[in-house]
Amino acid sequence: MNSVASAIQRLDALADSAPVARLAQAFAAAGRELALVGGPVRDAFLGRDLTDLDFTTDARPDEILRIVKPISETQWDIGREFGTIGAIIAGETVEITTYRADSYDPDSRKPTVEFGDTLEGDLARRDFSVNAMALRLPGRVLVDPSGGMDDLLAARLRTPGPPEVSFGDDPLRMLRAARFTSQLGFTAAPETVAAMAELAPRIEIVSVERVAAELTKLLMSAAPRAGIQLLVDTGLAELVLPEVPALRLEIDEHAHHKDVYEHSLTVLEQAIGYERSRGHEPDLVLRIAALLHDIGKPSTKRVEAGGAVSFHHHDVVGAKLAAKRLRALHFDKETITAVARLIELHLRFFGYTEGAWTDSAVRRYVRDAGPLLERLHILTRADVTTRNRRKADRLGFAYDDLEERIAAIAEAEGVAAVRPDLDGERIMEILGIRPGREVGEAYRFLLEMRLDEGPLGEVEAERRLRAWWAARA
C-alpha cells in the first residue's frame, strides 16, 4: 500500500486534471454536490492505476445531463434508469451517478433503484468499505464513514454494514468478494465469509450474464486462485461453477491419487506464469481451459485391480462438460468452442514421451490444434505439477523438443497452415467435376498425403489425385 502522503498527492493531481476540475467547477456553479467515489479513491492508496473516473452527486439524471453538456465532447444516458450519465470531458470518459440505494426484491433478478440525498447514505449502500470512500470536490475532503481506510491498511474485505443485509440486497456482491480477494490480494473478514456461506443460495436470483461477467473478471485477475478457493469454501461454486468443487475427489487408503482440485488450481497458476513469461496478455480462453481441463475426471474415475485409479477418456468427457457449463453461463460460441477443444487436446502430448513421433504425427498435432497451438503449448506445460524433479524435467525437455520440431517443420514446409498442394478449384479442373461431396473427398485425400509426407508439389499431387480418382471409379 502506498503511503498516505503519496496517495494524497495522486488524488490532488487527479483533482487538478482538466476533466475532473471542469466537472467539479460545473457542479459547484450549479449548486450541486460532487464526489469522486469508489475505485479511484481506493486505488490511489493501493498504488494502482487510476482508470475509471466514477462520480456521485445529489443531482438527478436530467440535471446531470444539463450540467455536463456544455463542458463535454459527448454524453450518453444509457444508464439513466440507474441514475448514471456518461460523458467525455477533455478526452477522458467519466460517469456521474445520482446518490442511490439499490435493493433486490426476494424474487427479482433486477435491483430496485431509489435515489438518495446524501453522500454518506450513498456510501453506506456500497459493496465493501474499501469501495465506500469518496473525495468531495472541489473541496477535496476525504469521506470514509465505514472505516474503509482501516480495512485498506489491514488488507481486509468487509461490508459497510451487516454483510447479511449487503449480500441480501445484491447477492452478486458475494462473487465480487471473491474477485476482490484475487484482484487486490485482500482477505475476506470472517463475518464476510460466514455471510457468503449462509446466503449462497441467493446467488440464484442474479442473472446468468452478471454471474458470468463476475467470474470472467475473477479469472482475468492477477491471482485468481484465492477467489476461486473462497467460492468453493463458501459453497457458491456449487451453484455457479459446480464442476470445480466436484474436483475434490475422495482420497482413500485403497485408491491413492493426487487432489485434482488442488492440481487444477496449480495448473491455472502455472498457465498464468507461462502467459507472462511468453509475453502474452491475460487470456480468458486459456485460463478457463486450465481451470476446467480435468473436470471429466470425477465421472470417469475407476479403481482398477491393485488399487490404481484411472480416468480413461476424461479429456473427451471434460470437453463436453465444459462446453455445457459455458453455454449455461451464456459465454459466446467462439470461447466455448476454443475451451472445449483445448480440453479435448490437453492429453495429446503425453504420447510424445512414450515413443518418438514421426513428422506426420507432429504435423497432425499442429493441424488438430490449429489457431489454438500456442495456448495448447502453455496448457500442456502447465499441466505438469509433479513434485518429482526428474519427471518434471523429462516432460519439460520433451516439450522443448516438440516445439523445436514444430518450428523446424514449419520453416521447411509451412506446416503452421497445413493445406493440400491443390485447392478445390484445381481439383475440380483436373477431375472435371462440379462442386459437391466428391470435391471434399478429394481434398481430404490430398490433405492426408500432405500430413503423412509433407509437401509433394503440384505435379506429384496431380498424379496421385488422378490415380486415386481412377481407382475410385
Side-chain angles (χ1 to χ4, degrees):
M1 178 169 165
N2 270 15
S3 69
V4 173
S6 175
I8 291 173
Q9 288 179 349
R10 298 183 78 200
L11 288 173
D12 276 339
L14 186 60
D16 288 334
S17 66
V20 179
R22 289 182 193 176
L23 201 59
Q25 291 166 5
F27 273 80
R32 288 300 183 184
E33 298 177 3
L34 184 74
L36 182 69
V37 68
V41 181
R42 176 199 70 211
D43 291 342
F45 289 93
L46 292 176
R48 292 161 55 93
D49 291 339
L50 306 184
T51 51
D52 300 330
L53 295 182
D54 294 327
F55 300 86
T56 188
T57 178
D58 59 343
R60 297 308 193 246
D62 289 343
E63 188 175 4
I64 295 173
L65 201 53
R66 285 197 300 270
I67 294 172
V68 301
K69 270 188 175 181
I71 61 170
S72 58
E73 294 96 88
T74 187
Q75 317 83 33
W76 57 92
D77 62 356
I78 193 170
R80 183 194 291 261
E81 178 186 356
F82 299 99
T84 301
I85 301 296
I88 295 179
I89 302 174
E92 291 285 345
T93 298
V94 302
E95 288 191 349
I96 310 101
T97 302
T98 303
Y99 297 153
R100 68 189 192 191
D102 293 349
S103 62
Y104 268 80
D105 182 275
D107 301 314
S108 173
R109 291 177 180 267
K110 296 182 179 180
T112 301
V113 177
E114 298 176 2
F115 295 142
D117 297 310
T118 68
L119 175 58
E120 289 76 9
D122 180 88
L123 296 176
R125 45 74 50 192
R126 292 183 177 262
D127 53 5
F128 301 103
S129 62
V130 294
N131 297 329
M133 298 186 293
L135 186 70
R136 284 192 184 273
L137 299 168
R140 307 185 188 186
V141 176
L142 183 66
V143 181
D144 178 19
S146 58
M149 184 61 65
D150 290 338
D151 288 336
L152 276 178
L153 292 169
R156 179 174 56 224
L157 208 58
R158 187 178 56 82
T159 55
E164 297 80 7
V165 175
S166 181
F167 297 154
D169 284 346
D170 186 352
L172 189 69
R173 290 172 176 170
M174 295 185 287
L175 297 191
R176 286 198 198 118
R179 191 238 300 182
F180 284 131
T181 61
S182 289
Q183 277 189 342
L184 306 178
F186 284 14
T187 300
E191 65 271 20
T192 303
V193 176
M196 291 171 67
E198 179 185 348
L199 296 175
R202 285 280 290 161
I203 198 66
E204 294 182 331
I205 74 165
V206 180
S207 71
V208 169
E209 290 78 9
R210 294 181 77 206
V211 168
E214 210 51 55
L215 290 175
T216 296
K217 292 174 184 177
L218 167 57
L219 285 169
M220 293 294 277
S221 67
R225 182 183 190 123
I228 294 167
Q229 288 176 316
L230 182 57
L231 291 180
V232 171
D233 293 344
T234 57
L236 278 158
E238 293 277 1
L239 301 167
V240 299
L241 205 58
E243 294 78 9
V244 174
L247 293 172
R248 295 179 296 183
L249 295 171
E250 179 182 350
I251 301 176
D252 60 53
E253 58 183 313
H254 304 295
H256 297 290
H257 56 277
K258 62 186 174 184
D259 186 328
V260 183
Y261 168 64
E262 290 295 332
H263 164 75
S264 297
L265 293 178
T266 301
V267 171
L268 174 59
E269 287 182 317
Q270 294 187 165
I272 292 171
Y274 281 118
E275 267 182 1
R276 294 170 184 154
S277 65
R278 293 168 78 110
H280 301 307
E281 293 296 315
D283 184 343
L284 180 62
V285 166
L286 173 64
R287 294 181 180 204
I288 296 175
L291 179 62
L292 303 184
H293 76 285
D294 274 347
I295 61 172
K297 281 190 170 180
S299 60
T300 59
K301 176 186 172 184
R302 298 290 183 272
V303 180
E304 310 291 353
V309 176
S310 67
F311 305 98
H312 297 307
H313 307 301
H314 78 266
D315 46 349
V316 176
V317 173
K320 293 177 180 178
L321 291 174
K324 182 178 179 180
R325 175 54 51 197
L326 294 179
R327 281 194 295 270
L329 288 168
H330 295 184
F331 276 88
D332 61 275
K333 184 177 180 180
E334 183 178 351
T335 297
I336 295 170
T337 301
V339 169
R341 186 61 172 157
L342 280 173
I343 293 174
E344 184 180 358
L345 294 173
H346 84 274
L347 292 181
R348 186 75 61 88
F349 159 74
F350 292 97
Y352 191 83
T353 63
E354 297 168 0
W357 277 11
T358 62
D359 285 352
S360 172
V362 175
R363 293 187 196 102
R364 290 175 190 277
Y365 187 81
V366 174
R367 188 274 309 269
D368 291 346
L372 300 174
L373 182 61
E374 173 64 6
R375 286 164 165 156
L376 185 58
H377 288 333
I378 293 176
L379 177 59
T380 303
R381 287 182 179 276
D383 197 21
V384 178
T385 62
T386 178
R387 295 179 182 177
N388 184 322
R389 190 71 261 163
R390 291 180 62 187
K391 182 179 179 181
D393 288 344
R394 178 172 59 83
L395 291 169
F397 293 147
Y399 210 91
D400 289 343
D401 182 66
L402 176 58
E403 287 205 63
E404 289 169 6
R405 288 185 65 190
I406 289 172
I409 294 174
E411 183 177 358
E413 304 177 3
V415 75
V418 178
R419 296 185 180 88
D421 296 275
L422 305 173
D423 63 17
E425 292 291 332
R426 188 77 180 102
I427 290 170
M428 289 188 288
E429 181 183 338
I430 291 169
L431 300 182
I433 58 178
R434 298 171 63 83
R437 178 176 54 83
E438 292 171 328
V439 177
E441 292 175 358
Y443 186 93
R444 286 189 290 274
F445 164 74
L446 292 172
L447 178 58
E448 288 299 316
M449 282 200 309
R450 171 74 171 82
L451 290 168
D452 285 338
E453 304 178 41
L456 298 172
E458 285 197 24
V459 173
E460 178 62 13
E462 181 177 342
R463 186 188 72 76
R464 301 264 194 111
L465 177 64
R466 290 185 182 278
W468 171 82
W469 183 252
R472 183 179 181 278

